[in-house]
């Protein structure tokens, strides 16, 4: 327990919980958050801001992190001991916002103790861990959600709508560049850090199970790949490509999505017109008589549809709570998490073998 921090978790939680004073304790979902590094403050702020939910306790091993919690949220209980939080009887759900190698043990204990779990991406370090957590959550009838924040952004929700409405026609490709100059992670490579976003977005938008993956890349500085290129094969000739790089002089977040009817450019760094849809395409008609291919190009209008400007995590936090309240299965559940971990493991295997194609 960190020096100077008084933590008697279950009791303090019980005393400080508004549920005990407004008579609505049955409805209030009390959250505990483990991990208050870079991403944790966003999780705490967004869950705490929801109606009918409170973050009642935050855990971090670092006393500096706990001091930051106390400065921003003086009413929250803090502890450096995750076991205390995971065992607290007055906590209904746990958000795990720690490095990926810790996710499995923390999520497992939380589920064993009857808590719903919201866990950061990537879900787990291995397929076997993901499968065990899915089985445990099902057996205990608890919600297990993986934080795929991008799926809740206005841009991805709008693109999903366009695809579902058939505006793009049959999909041809998803091609993403996600590069910048960042502090390296030590425990994971650039694929597990950055490409994980694209893999979750692709699976969500394409709605097919990927068939195979090819990964190439290289390491230059700290023993893990810092640049990588992934190719993902989906059924129906849909191909995904992802370029991730920690050593880029500029930040780029641009995705091209090509369909037979329309093509789309999503530039996530644009403030207003994040998505541009191009009425462009190519049609080929072959003439049997001459065996000639007749190629016609279509170059129509471009327009930028309205994209809702809301904080994705806020919507995602509300969705998690709604899934608990109405006993609904989240679409970004453990199985969605497992699908991406499967791709990440396959990508690592391909990377080790300099781009051998790995079937999924
Ligand atoms: N969804 C997103 O867009 C998004 C963005 C950034 C990070 N993340 C994910 O969030 C997770 C955390 O990333 P980060 O960048 O915040 O990392 P970080 O290293 O900045 O913070 C992690 C914190 O967890 C604490 N911690 C580690 N093990 C602990 C334990 N057993 N008990 C208590 N505290 C512990 C550390 O002290 C640290 O403060 C990762 O899984 C990462 O992939 C997701």
């Amino acid at each position: 327990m960190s020096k100077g921090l008084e933590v008697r978790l279950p009791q303090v939680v019980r005393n400080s919980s508004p549920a005990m004073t407004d008579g609505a304790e049955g409805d209030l979902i009390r959250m505990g958050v483990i991990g208050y590094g870079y991403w944790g403050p966003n999780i705490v702020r967004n869950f705490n801001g929801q109606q009918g939910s409170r973050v009642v306790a935050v855990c971090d091993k670092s006393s500096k992190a706990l001091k930051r919690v106390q400065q921003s949220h003086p009413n929250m209980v803090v502890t450096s001991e995750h076991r205390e939080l995971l065992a607290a009887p007055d906590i209904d759900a746990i958000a795990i916002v720690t490095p990926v190698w810790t996710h499995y043990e923390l999520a497992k204990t939380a589920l064993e103790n009857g808590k719903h779990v919201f866990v950061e991406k990537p879900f787990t370090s291995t397929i076997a861990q993901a499968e065990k957590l899915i089985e445990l959550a099902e057996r205990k009838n608890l919600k297990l959600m993986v934080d795929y924040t991008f799926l809740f952004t206005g841009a991805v929700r709008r693109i999903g709508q366009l695809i579902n409405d058939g505006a793009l026609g049959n999909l041809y490709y998803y091609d993403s560049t996600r590069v910048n100059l960042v502090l390296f992670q030590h425990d994971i490579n650039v694929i597990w850090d950055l490409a994980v976003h694209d893999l979750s977005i692709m699976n969500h938008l394409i709605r097919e199970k990927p068939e195979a993956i090819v990964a190439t890349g290289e390491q230059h500085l700290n023993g893990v790949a810092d640049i990588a290129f992934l190719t993902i094969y989906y059924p129906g000739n849909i191909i995904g490509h992802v370029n991730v790089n920690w050593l880029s002089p500029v930040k780029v977040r641009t995705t091209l999505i090509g369909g037979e009817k329309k093509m789309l450019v999503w530039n996530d760094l644009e403030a207003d017109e994040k998505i541009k849809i191009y009425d462009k395409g190519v049609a080929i008609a072959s003439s049997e008589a001459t065996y000639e291919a007749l190629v016609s190009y279509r170059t129509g209008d471009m327009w930028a549809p309205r994209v809702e400007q809301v904080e994705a995590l806020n919507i995602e936090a509300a969705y998690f709570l709604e899934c608990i309240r109405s006993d609904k299965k989240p679409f970004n559940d453990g199985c969605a998490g497992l699908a991406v971990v499967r791709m990440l493991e396959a990508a690592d295997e391909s990377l080790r073998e300099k781009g051998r194609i790995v079937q999924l």
Side-chain angles (χ1 to χ4, degrees):
M1 202 174 299
S2 11
K3 220 174 148 200
L5 298 169
E6 194 190 3
V7 181
R8 291 194 193 88
L9 191 60
Q11 197 185 351
V12 178
V13 168
R14 214 173 289 123
N15 291 344
S16 64
S17 166
M20 299 297 153
T21 55
D22 63 10
E25 68 262 41
D27 297 334
L28 191 80
I29 297 174
R30 291 152 302 189
M31 302 273 313
V33 176
I34 307 181
Y36 199 81
Y38 161 67
W39 196 241
N42 296 323
I43 299 289
V44 169
R45 180 172 49 79
N46 279 288
F47 273 109
N48 207 40
Q50 301 293 328
Q51 214 176 10
S53 126
R54 298 279 182 290
V55 175
V56 292
V58 178
C59 167
D60 199 295
K61 285 195 299 198
S62 144
S63 57
K64 274 192 192 151
L66 294 183
K67 282 201 180 98
R68 284 194 286 121
V69 180
Q70 287 183 313
Q71 277 160 7
S72 307
H73 309 281
N75 294 332
M76 284 176 199
V77 174
V78 292
T79 176
S80 60
E81 184 43 71
H82 64 248
R83 281 175 203 82
E84 270 187 68
L85 205 88
L86 293 169
D90 287 356
I91 288 181
D92 307 301
I94 299 278
I96 298 168
V97 201
T98 50
V100 61
W101 62 269
T102 65
H103 290 180
Y104 173 69
E105 284 301 333
L106 294 172
K108 179 168 161 282
T109 311
L111 292 167
E112 282 168 351
N113 290 350
K115 323 260 182 237
H116 303 285
V117 168
F118 179 91
V119 58
E120 267 315 316
K121 62 84 195 163
F123 180 26
T124 55
S125 300
T126 67
I127 292 171
Q129 291 176 344
E131 287 173 340
K132 281 184 200 151
L133 292 181
I134 292 168
E135 187 276 322
L136 184 57
E138 269 169 19
R139 184 153 43 84
K140 300 275 235 173
N141 195 23
L142 292 163
K143 301 300 161 209
L144 176 58
M145 186 187 273
V146 181
D147 180 10
Y148 287 150
T149 319
F150 270 102
L151 305 189
F152 294 84
T153 56
V156 173
R157 287 188 300 137
R158 193 77 169 98
I159 295 169
Q161 208 177 29
L162 289 162
I163 292 173
N164 289 345
D165 292 348
L168 305 190
N170 289 331
L171 292 184
Y172 290 155
Y173 62 83
Y174 173 109
D175 187 4
S176 165
T177 304
R178 192 177 292 277
V179 303
N180 49 319
L181 197 63
V182 284
L183 281 179
F184 297 178
Q185 310 281 336
H186 300 286
D187 55 328
I188 50 171
N189 64 25
V190 70
I191 300 175
W192 286 70
D193 182 36
L194 295 182
V196 60
H197 291 300
D198 294 293
L199 301 181
S200 65
I201 298 167
M202 267 190 271
N203 285 353
H204 181 68
L205 293 178
I206 296 172
R207 296 189 185 278
E208 297 275 3
K209 262 177 92 172
E211 293 173 330
I213 199 158
V214 170
T216 52
E218 203 47 89
Q219 59 189 51
H220 299 93
L221 293 164
N222 71 342
V224 294
D226 42 50
I227 177 166
F229 308 99
L230 267 62
T231 304
I232 303 104
Y233 295 93
Y234 285 89
N237 293 356
I238 303 173
I239 191 162
H241 181 257
V242 183
N243 166 4
V244 280
N245 184 354
W246 282 332
L247 298 177
S248 162
V250 291
K251 180 170 179 170
V252 182
R253 296 284 187 270
T254 302
T255 303
L256 305 178
I257 301 179
E260 83 185 312
K261 288 192 195 159
K262 301 270 190 313
M263 296 175 181
L264 174 159
V265 181
W266 163 30
N267 181 352
D268 206 43
L269 302 183
E270 281 274 346
D272 296 323
E273 299 183 342
K274 281 187 187 295
I275 300 173
K276 290 187 176 135
I277 299 168
Y278 292 82
D279 183 12
K280 289 192 180 189
V282 183
I284 295 189
S286 63
S287 152
E288 281 185 14
T290 59
Y291 298 102
E292 278 175 5
L294 304 173
V295 180
S296 63
Y297 295 94
R298 191 181 67 258
T299 52
D301 292 341
M302 181 281 286
W303 80 98
R306 199 180 71 81
V307 171
E308 210 184 346
Q309 302 271 15
V310 281
E311 189 172 357
L313 255 186
N314 195 279
I315 299 179
E316 189 175 15
Y319 178 59
F320 178 64
L321 299 168
E322 184 201 327
C323 287
I324 294 175
R325 284 195 197 99
S326 48
D327 195 16
K328 210 161 74 178
K329 200 173 173 61
F331 68 83
N332 49 333
D333 63 356
C335 294
L338 168 63
V340 171
V341 173
R342 210 180 279 289
M343 295 164 89
L344 293 169
E345 271 201 7
D348 274 354
E349 189 181 332
S350 178
L351 189 71
R352 278 193 299 273
E353 298 181 40
K354 300 254 180 247
R356 180 175 67 77
I357 186 161
V358 176
Q359 299 298 326
L360 290 159

